[in-house]
Amino acid sequence: MIIMINGAFGSGKTSAAKALQPLISNSMIYDPEEIGYMLRKLLPENYREENERTDDFQDIELWRILTVKTAKEVK
């Protein structure tokens, strides 16, 4: 089972996940923002598509692909 917590930046998603995680046996926290931070380092802005050149790594198509694939593999 995967429980996704969605919301705006700074809304408390990580805090909520940290509070819930000990209550759910055999659980872990998977933070797809870590993939975004990695991609920012690996893909300089000039290597990205025009529509991906924003401050939001969620606009990078590869982030969306890797987030799902990584979740499947971790599960």
Side-chain angles (χ1 to χ4, degrees):
M1 168 178 38
I2 296 176
I3 299 170
M4 295 180 72
I5 301 172
N6 195 11
F9 290 109
S11 63
K13 298 178 299 293
T14 301
S15 296
K18 287 179 180 178
L20 285 171
Q21 193 268 330
L23 304 174
I24 303 170
S25 63
N26 299 318
S27 66
M28 62 173 282
I29 294 176
Y30 166 62
D31 187 350
E33 286 184 355
E34 298 297 331
I35 295 170
Y37 301 143
M38 176 192 69
L39 288 175
R40 280 186 181 160
K41 289 181 182 179
L42 291 174
L43 300 173
E45 194 169 295
N46 59 322
Y47 281 88
R48 300 181 209 162
E49 297 292 329
E50 186 72 31
N51 62 315
E52 296 177 339
R53 296 178 186 174
T54 69
D55 290 335
D56 190 347
F57 52 74
Q58 294 179 45
D59 293 327
I60 302 171
E61 182 179 359
L62 185 55
W63 178 84
R64 296 190 296 271
I65 293 167
L66 289 178
T67 296
V68 173
K69 287 187 179 229
T70 303
K72 286 179 182 177
E73 292 299 319
V74 169
K75 182 178 179 267

